[in-house]
Amino acid sequence: MAAICIALVGPSAPSGAVFAGSLPVGDARDVVPNRVMTWNICNPCDASNAHRAAEIATHAPQVIGLQEACVGDVERIRRYLRSVHGLVYHVEYGMVLRDWGRCGGAPWNPGAFGQAILSAAPMTDHVKVEYPDGGSEHRGYMAVTTTVGGRTVRVFNTHLAQRRQEAVRADQAGVLAADVARHDRVILLGDLNAVPDAPELTRIWSLATDADPGCRPSSAGACEPTTDWQSKFDYVFLRGIAPLGHRVRPTPYSDHHVLRADLDTTPGP
């Protein structure tokens, strides 16, 4: 009888949300408490939020930084994470655009577009900053205080100006670095649109290190690519925190790979 009912009405998960390895609806699942992740989810791209949620659930990070995100998409991703995969996240937004073409909505009330941070722990002291010069598109950064690995950390998420705008990115990185420098324990996530040895990232490198211990400006060729065009543009920068491991995972749902890092948050005060 149960099989007949399922055949008639279909699965109880949202449409398109049945995946190998998914948890039954309502089953709770723990995140990895010392794991963070950054992902430019690509917009506009023909990817379902159910698949995006499944990709995130594969890694189950404590904190996720998303770029090129619409509020509506993020809310749907959160619903799939909770109802299908048993993962519950708080959210804060750092939106800098209201864009009907990217995010839908009514022409007079378009959807918001920019960055988002999802955290399994509550977040406080949320700020969002639009860069004085966004380049060809408005860009900015956001920051929150939350818990990773049992310690309080300041988490930043940003998306710097598009390629071939080196001077603009340098100015943006300077604005961001001034805020990062105010904190002893920082995780900086984001799509910086620059390779590790790009001069515009000098200020960031002076304050933090990459979660990949082998990736430095002087060894840029050894840094693992994070995009479909084989460049490293995505970063987990650490200040006052030590890396334990990292992984780059290509995904069919974006032109950027998923980048995750497991961290030791005990160094520092």
Side-chain angles (χ1 to χ4, degrees), residues 10-50:
S12 56
S15 175
V18 179
F19 305 95
S22 295
L23 293 173
V25 175
D27 279 11
R29 177 182 172 189
D30 290 335
V31 299
V32 181
N34 66 330
R35 177 171 295 169
V36 299
M37 169 178 158
T38 185
W39 190 20
N40 182 322
I41 61 176
C42 185
N43 186 306
C45 276
D46 185 20
S48 79
N49 292 310

Side-chain angles (χ1 to χ4, degrees), residues 150-209:
R151 299 292 298 274
T152 300
V153 297
R154 191 68 172 163
V155 179
F156 290 79
N157 183 20
T158 193
H159 190 189
L160 299 189
Q162 295 167 335
R163 287 175 285 179
R164 296 178 295 278
Q165 298 180 81
E166 292 83 358
V168 174
R169 284 197 300 276
D171 290 342
Q172 293 173 349
V175 172
L176 177 61
D179 198 351
V180 169
R182 298 173 49 242
H183 304 275
D184 295 325
R185 194 160 45 244
V186 170
I187 300 168
L188 168 57
L189 310 170
D191 172 7
L192 305 190
N193 269 318
V195 294
D197 59 349
E200 58 263 37
L201 299 189
T202 300
R203 290 281 304 278
I204 302 296
W205 282 111
S206 70
L207 295 170
T209 58

Side-chain angles (χ1 to χ4, degrees), residues 1-264:
M1 182 63 70
I4 293 172
C5 290
I6 291 173
L8 290 172
V9 304
S12 56
S15 175
V18 179
F19 305 95
S22 295
L23 293 173
V25 175
D27 279 11
R29 177 182 172 189
D30 290 335
V31 299
V32 181
N34 66 330
R35 177 171 295 169
V36 299
M37 169 178 158
T38 185
W39 190 20
N40 182 322
I41 61 176
C42 185
N43 186 306
C45 276
D46 185 20
S48 79
N49 292 310
H51 286 117
R52 289 166 170 161
E55 189 70 64
I56 293 170
T58 299
H59 307 276
Q62 173 80 7
V63 168
I64 310 144
L66 298 177
Q67 303 88 42
E68 295 195 15
C70 296
V71 168
D73 287 333
V74 174
E75 290 304 316
R76 285 184 281 273
I77 289 169
R78 288 177 69 215
R79 287 199 293 270
Y80 283 122
L81 284 167
R82 181 167 189 160
S83 64
V84 180
H85 305 284
L87 295 170
V88 179
Y89 288 100
H90 305 268
V91 66
E92 293 287 359
Y93 293 102
M95 300 315 190
V96 294
L97 281 175
R98 299 193 68 82
D99 194 312
W100 182 85
R102 287 182 183 266
C103 298
W108 58 89
N109 187 28
F113 177 79
Q115 295 94 50
I117 293 177
L118 277 62
S119 174
M123 293 174 277
T124 60
D125 303 318
H126 170 224
V127 299
K128 59 179 181 179
V129 176
E130 185 172 344
Y131 293 122
D133 183 358
S136 56
E137 181 179 83
H138 294 286
R139 294 288 167 92
Y141 74 88
M142 62 179 300
V144 300
T145 298
T146 189
T147 302
V148 175
R151 299 292 298 274
T152 300
V153 297
R154 191 68 172 163
V155 179
F156 290 79
N157 183 20
T158 193
H159 190 189
L160 299 189
Q162 295 167 335
R163 287 175 285 179
R164 296 178 295 278
Q165 298 180 81
E166 292 83 358
V168 174
R169 284 197 300 276
D171 290 342
Q172 293 173 349
V175 172
L176 177 61
D179 198 351
V180 169
R182 298 173 49 242
H183 304 275
D184 295 325
R185 194 160 45 244
V186 170
I187 300 168
L188 168 57
L189 310 170
D191 172 7
L192 305 190
N193 269 318
V195 294
D197 59 349
E200 58 263 37
L201 299 189
T202 300
R203 290 281 304 278
I204 302 296
W205 282 111
S206 70
L207 295 170
T209 58
D210 195 280
D212 175 2
C215 183
R216 298 289 182 270
S218 59
S219 61
C223 301
E224 195 169 357
T226 64
T227 65
D228 287 353
W229 54 94
Q230 298 303 301
S231 294
K232 178 176 172 65
F233 276 9
D234 304 272
Y235 294 84
V236 176
F237 274 114
L238 306 174
R239 176 175 168 86
I241 298 170
L244 294 175
H246 78 286
R247 182 181 179 188
V248 177
R249 174 184 164 118
T251 167
Y253 311 121
S254 176
D255 55 354
H256 286 252
H257 307 339
V258 169
L259 170 59
R260 83 178 197 207
D262 294 341
L263 309 176
D264 178 2

